[in-house]
Structure formats: C-alpha cells, structure tokens
Amino acid sequence: MASIVTRGSSVSVTYYYYSKREKKRKKKWESGFTPEAAELRKKEIEYLIEKGEFIAPDETTVEELAWEWLETVAVQKKYAPETYTGYEASIKNHILPHLGSRPVQSVTAKDIDQLFITLARTQRGTYVNGVRVKPQQEEVSLEQRDFLSSSTLRDIYFAVDGIFKMAVKYEMITKSPVQCEIPKKADKESAYWTDDLVKAALEKLQDETLLHLIVHCIFYGSLRSGEAVGITLDCIDLNKKQVLINKTLQRTKKESLKKVPPDSIIKIFPNIGWKKDSNSCLILKTPKTTKSKRIMFLSDPLMLEIQNRIKHIQQSKELLGKEYHDHGLLLCLPNGDPIEPKLVLKWFKKWQKRSGLCFPELPVHGLRHSATQYKLEVSGGDIKAVQGENGHSTAKMVTDVYAHVSDERRKVLHDKMNADFYTRKKEAERKNEELFSNMLKSMMANSDAQGVFLQSILQNPEMQKTLLTALFASPQR
C-alpha cells in the first residue's frame, strides 16, 4: 500500500510497484504535495490498486515504443515494404526529434497538439534519417514555403495514434493523449488528358514501340505504372483477350524486406548496373489490396500490339542467348531486365518535351486518371464498373479522387439545357398568345363572349401576364 513521508517542508507519497522493464520490485517516490494533497493521492493509489486499475510507473520512452509498434503492426497488418519504409521515415524524421526521449507516460494531449502545430510549420527535408539538416527559420516568406504535405501529416498522425493506442493496450497509460483531429487532406485536383489528347499522343508515339505499349496499357487498363511493368507473360491470355493484373513492380529498401511478412513478395530482382551496391532493390509483389487483383480486357489494337511485343521478346532471346535475363516480363529492357516505374516516369516526361505537342504536362500516373475520367463519361457514371477497372477497394476513391467534370461534358449539358429550357418557355408563351388572340377575335365577333373572356383572364395568371405584356408592348400614344 502507499505511505506518506514528511521530511521538513517536503511531503511525499511512496509505494512499491513491479517494473516490467527491470523485472523487479521497485519503490516509487512522488514528491511536492501538501499534507492534504498527499492524503488524497495516497487514497487514490490504494483505491486503484484495490480495483486492479492502477498503472504502475513505466520508464519506456516514445522512441522505444515507436519501434516496437512498427515491428508489431508490420507483421499484424502484413505491411508492404514501401509502407514500412514510409512509417519508418515518419518516426525517424518527425516523431522522434520532438518526442523520442520523453517517457510515454509523460506525454499529454497538449504535447500532441503542439507536435502537429510544429509539424504544420516544418519545411520538407528538415530531417534526414533523424538528423536535422535545415536550420530553424523564424520567418519564411510565402515564396519560400515548402511545408510538409497533408498526406505526410496524416501518415505521421496514424503512426502517433498507433503508438499511443499500443501504450493503452499494454497498460502503460489509461487514455491516449492523441485527442486532436486527423489532419485534413488537401483538395488537389488530379491532372488528366481528354480521350482526344490521349489518342493524339498514341499517334505521335508510333515510332517508340515500347513507350507506346506502356502508355497504351496504362490508359486502356487504368493501370498504375508498377502494375504495367509488372505484367508477366504467363498472365496473358490472347484467346480470351485478357490479362490478369496480379502483381506490381517497385523499388524498396533491402532492410524493409527483412521487417515485413515475406508472403507478399513474389520475386526479388538481382541488382543491375549502377544500383549493384545500392541499399535498395526492385521487387515483384502482390497488390496492396485484394480488389487490386483484376482482369484487364484487351481491345483488338492493344492485343495486336501485345502479340508483336511477345514476338519481339522471342527474337531478343534468340539474339542475345545467355545475355538475355528472362524474368518473364512483358514490358522490359532489351536484355529482359525489369523497367523501374521511375524510369517510365522519366521516359514519359522527356517524350512530352520533345514531342512538339502543346498538351498540358502530365505525370505518367495522370494517364490512369485520364482513363478513369473517360470511363466514367462513357459508362454514364457507372461508379462500380469504374471501381472494378481501377482495382480500388472502395467506390469512394473513384468519386473523391478521379471524378472530374470536364468542360466538354459541361458544354454538352449547357447546350441541352439551353435547347430545352428556353425553347419550352417560348413554346408556352406562344400557346398563351394564340389562345388570347382566338378569344379576342371571338369577343369582337360576339358581345356575349366578353364576360366569358374577362372571367377566363381572371382565372388564368398566365393569360393575365400575356395581356399585360401585350399592353406594355403596345406603342405609346
């Protein structure tokens, strides 16, 4: 049980607890109380111990728990290597510099609020591998601001929230100090080309067969660039005119591969060229969600292009012999080695500059956005069908991120509205005027009809409006 110890003017509360870290019984001193406050604290401790709700002191720091959280959640949630790498960077560069040395039990809701206030004013690249490389700037002009993105802040939030939820789970604290709201996503409209621009681009790309096929696949199949360069020959069925999209190719840290479950990794490519001594490597892995695995249906032109590509691969194998590195890839370098997604981005960007086409600049992922927009229009807004084409886990991704309203479609809507709204209004006015004219002629021919005519006007607001319009339109005398 707890005790009160008075030494001169100092009043302390003492009690024994079991240290999980040191695995032994220890004595805790809590000082700085008045006699009355000490008595209340003593009763509180004894009550919590009796109820089995007492949280023993724990010296575990945020840094220690952060790494334990990442190691645990990476296995439980089967993180992909790039997901692990992302959270690792968030912890190193954004959480530990501010909270790393603090005991978990000392962190308050105010500390978490202050963390995100600080991060919202932090420039990108301030920390690299946990080391500050940019000095603190008290004043930053609007032109120089390059703060952390909303997506980065959200990733940091999810990491901090996960760390302190684990602290609650492990009974280090009774309540998580993460009480602030999730940082909002920035509203950023994705760049895209209309279908006419994509057609023009494909026409211009005819002489660059490999890049043409990459662009064609990404647009027609709504593929991510990693999915396109990850297509293997064994997943192509030319008889059924379809391709199974069940892999993605990406670069990742070698260390991250050791931290995540291996069941998502299909192949680790040997390092080539200048990347031989790199701490990263190219891998072929399963998609991030089950719905990302899907069938890409082929058009006749795309199927013909794939057939020609397969013939070209066979010719390269015969020509190069053992020098050809056969990884079974459809889209690969001349010697069979994989094409890194960043290389596709580089090729496409360079081609746009030399093509001579005055198109809006588009990142390669913008082809996927363009395909999604086009398919939404062609399908009449069939969200579920487009979700299936994209391999998104939810339809909300389609509506929130990809569904733009193109000016061309708005112009069509405008023309339809113009034709219907104003024409229908004029037709109603014409009919009223015709009715008014007929009744006026009848009244002039028959004096008995005058009463009927006046009664009709009183009962018909539209006729009243027509009559007033006609009166005011009459020449003034």
Side-chain angles (χ1 to χ4, degrees):
M1 288 299 182
S3 303
I4 296 176
V5 179
T6 303
R7 291 178 177 174
S9 61
S10 175
V11 181
S12 303
V13 177
T14 66
Y15 54 89
Y16 286 93
Y17 70 96
Y18 180 77
S19 173
K20 293 180 181 178
R21 176 189 287 187
E22 299 181 34
K23 297 182 179 179
K24 66 179 183 179
R25 193 167 179 259
K26 294 186 68 177
K27 188 175 185 179
K28 174 70 176 178
W29 286 73
E30 293 185 8
S31 304
F33 294 102
T34 63
E36 294 80 9
E39 187 63 37
L40 287 174
R41 176 57 177 159
K42 176 179 180 295
K43 289 179 180 179
E44 180 187 27
I45 292 169
E46 291 173 346
Y47 172 78
L48 291 172
I49 291 174
E50 186 179 347
K51 295 277 289 184
E53 297 174 1
F54 179 70
I55 300 294
D58 193 300
E59 298 83 9
T60 301
T61 64
V62 172
E63 179 172 6
E64 291 169 331
L65 188 61
W67 294 126
E68 186 176 353
W69 168 78
L70 184 58
E71 297 282 332
T72 304
V73 79
V75 174
Q76 290 177 345
K77 294 189 176 182
K78 296 188 175 182
Y79 277 167
E82 75 276 13
T83 305
Y84 183 94
T85 300
Y87 278 124
E88 182 183 45
S90 292
I91 291 171
K92 274 185 181 179
N93 299 323
H94 305 302
I95 299 174
L96 300 190
H98 304 285
L99 296 175
S101 61
R102 293 276 300 274
V104 171
Q105 291 184 339
S106 73
V107 179
T108 65
K110 186 176 180 179
D111 294 326
I112 300 299
D113 287 344
Q114 187 58 51
L115 170 67
F116 283 97
I117 290 171
T118 302
L119 291 174
R121 298 171 182 169
T122 299
Q123 290 182 298
R124 297 178 188 180
T126 297
Y127 290 87
V128 176
N129 288 324
V131 178
R132 184 165 200 140
V133 295
K134 286 185 179 180
Q136 180 71 35
Q137 294 187 1
E138 296 299 328
E139 294 184 7
V140 183
S141 67
L142 289 172
E143 291 75 18
Q144 293 174 319
R145 281 183 180 173
D146 190 19
F147 295 155
L148 298 176
S149 68
S150 61
S151 59
T152 298
L153 290 174
R154 287 170 65 85
D155 287 344
I156 297 167
Y157 177 91
F158 294 134
V160 172
D161 189 47
I163 291 165
F164 284 98
K165 279 181 177 175
M166 175 174 274
V168 174
K169 179 181 176 182
Y170 289 176
E171 299 181 347
M172 294 179 181
I173 54 178
T174 56
K175 183 180 178 181
S176 170
V178 184
Q179 302 297 318
C180 57
E181 293 185 3
I182 302 173
K184 292 182 179 179
K185 273 186 178 180
D187 293 330
K188 185 179 178 182
E189 189 167 302
S190 305
Y192 74 100
W193 283 349
T194 64
D195 55 305
D196 288 333
L197 293 182
V198 176
K199 285 179 188 176
L202 287 172
E203 283 292 325
K204 195 77 173 178
L205 272 166
Q206 290 294 342
D207 294 335
E208 302 191 39
T209 54
L210 182 55
L211 185 57
H212 185 283
L213 180 54
I214 292 172
V215 170
H216 202 172
C217 283
I218 290 175
F219 177 76
Y220 197 83
S222 300
L223 304 182
R224 302 171 180 90
S225 57
E227 291 174 334
V229 294
I231 294 173
T232 51
L233 297 174
D234 60 329
C235 289
I236 301 171
D237 190 331
L238 294 176
N239 293 324
K240 293 183 178 179
K241 296 173 64 173
Q242 63 186 37
V243 176
L244 175 62
I245 305 300
N246 64 350
K247 308 177 191 72
T248 186
L249 191 148
Q250 60 189 214
R251 180 167 291 280
T252 190
K253 284 186 176 181
K254 292 177 181 176
E255 281 300 313
S256 297
L257 288 174
K258 301 174 184 177
K259 306 290 186 180
V260 300
D263 52 347
S264 65
I265 311 301
I266 298 170
K267 184 181 182 69
I268 300 174
F269 293 97
N271 283 343
I272 56 175
W274 63 275
K275 289 283 186 180
K276 281 185 179 179
D277 298 323
S278 172
N279 62 357
S280 65
C281 59
L282 288 174
I283 62 169
L284 200 62
K285 62 177 286 293
T286 56
K288 59 182 180 180
T289 66
T290 53
K291 288 193 176 180
S292 291
K293 183 178 177 180
R294 61 201 187 277
I295 295 293
M296 179 176 80
F297 299 102
L298 302 178
S299 62
D300 289 339
L302 182 54
M303 186 175 73
L304 179 60
E305 197 171 353
I306 288 175
Q307 285 176 324
N308 291 333
R309 174 63 188 168
I310 293 172
K311 290 178 183 176
H312 178 78
I313 289 172
Q314 189 57 41
Q315 291 170 357
S316 297
K317 287 181 182 179
E318 294 173 359
L319 181 65
L320 297 177
K322 292 181 179 180
E323 296 298 316
Y324 187 87
H325 305 148
D326 192 359
H327 300 293
L329 297 168
L330 173 69
L331 301 168
C332 55
L333 296 174
N335 67 346
D337 282 334
I339 300 172
E340 186 167 352
K342 280 189 177 179
L343 188 57
V344 175
L345 177 66
K346 184 178 179 181
W347 287 351
F348 189 56
K349 187 175 182 179
K350 282 188 173 181
W351 173 80
Q352 288 180 74
K353 288 183 177 179
R354 68 173 184 270
S355 68
L357 297 173
C358 298
F359 290 180
E361 186 174 340
L362 190 75
V364 72
H365 192 70
L367 292 166
R368 176 171 155 88
H369 290 280
S370 304
T372 305
Q373 176 64 18
Y374 177 58
K375 289 173 183 180
L376 280 170
E377 293 177 0
V378 170
S379 68
D382 189 338
I383 302 294
K384 295 302 290 183
V386 177
Q387 177 194 349
E389 284 283 290
N390 283 21
H392 282 306
S393 56
T394 64
K396 193 174 186 294
M397 277 294 294
V398 178
T399 55
D400 286 359
V401 180
Y402 296 94
H404 308 285
V405 179
S406 68
D407 288 341
E408 290 80 2
R409 299 294 292 181
R410 290 182 61 229
K411 183 65 169 60
V412 170
L413 177 61
H414 165 78
D415 291 341
K416 286 181 178 179
M417 183 176 174
N418 184 42
D420 178 73
F421 180 74
Y422 294 105
T423 304
R424 181 159 40 85
K425 183 180 178 182
K426 288 179 179 178
E427 182 65 19
E429 290 175 353
R430 187 191 64 77
K431 287 182 178 180
N432 278 332
E433 288 173 359
E434 184 179 341
L435 177 61
F436 178 78
S437 177
N438 290 337
M439 293 187 71
L440 185 61
K441 288 177 182 179
S442 175
M443 181 190 73
M444 296 298 292
N446 185 354
S447 59
D448 294 336
Q450 294 178 12
V452 176
F453 177 69
L454 291 173
Q455 187 67 28
S456 299
I457 291 176
L458 291 173
Q459 294 176 349
N460 191 329
E462 288 296 326
M463 287 188 67
Q464 293 171 26
K465 184 178 177 182
T466 303
L467 176 60
L468 287 171
T469 301
L471 288 173
F472 282 111
S474 300
Q476 297 294 319
R477 294 185 180 178

